[in-house]
Amino acid sequence: MDNLKEIIKINETNAVPDNEIDLSEIPEITTLEGFKPVHPEYYKPVREQVSIRFNKVLVDHFRTFGKGWQTKVNNFLMQEFINGRI
């Protein structure tokens, strides 16, 4: 435990104060376009269960994808939204 306290003390002594950090070369983030989580398995977007009516031919087609077909439809719609097509 003493070793940990010593390491913390050394780090605090050598730390640069926040007001002395030069941020001028860091670009400003104005959009989340292209954002991809580093660990997508831990990123869970908020979802809402809804009831929506599609033409039967579309539902039959989507169901041919097998298990997870609703997620694939959601991902397709999300990608179209991100690309500005819907």
Side-chain angles (χ1 to χ4, degrees):
M1 190 67 147
D2 292 332
N3 192 24
L4 178 60
K5 289 181 182 180
E6 184 178 325
I7 291 172
I8 292 172
K9 184 177 179 180
I10 292 169
N11 284 329
E12 288 176 346
T13 303
N14 295 327
V16 176
D18 289 347
N19 62 347
E20 292 181 20
I21 298 174
D22 180 14
L23 304 175
S24 63
E25 294 185 15
I26 300 174
E28 182 179 354
I29 297 174
T30 58
T31 177
L32 293 178
E33 184 176 329
F35 168 74
K36 295 205 178 0
V38 176
H39 298 285
E41 63 273 17
Y42 300 119
Y43 173 72
K44 297 286 184 186
V46 176
R47 294 190 176 193
E48 180 178 352
Q49 183 174 350
V50 298
S51 176
I52 186 169
R53 295 181 185 271
F54 288 116
N55 292 336
K56 183 169 178 10
V57 67
L58 287 174
V59 175
D60 291 343
H61 173 71
F62 292 143
R63 285 186 174 151
T64 63
F65 296 143
K67 186 176 179 176
W69 69 270
Q70 292 173 326
T71 299
K72 291 176 184 174
V73 170
N74 182 73
N75 293 345
F76 170 77
L77 291 172
M78 182 56 75
Q79 192 59 48
E80 294 302 301
F81 172 75
I82 290 169
N83 291 333
R85 295 188 194 127
I86 58 172

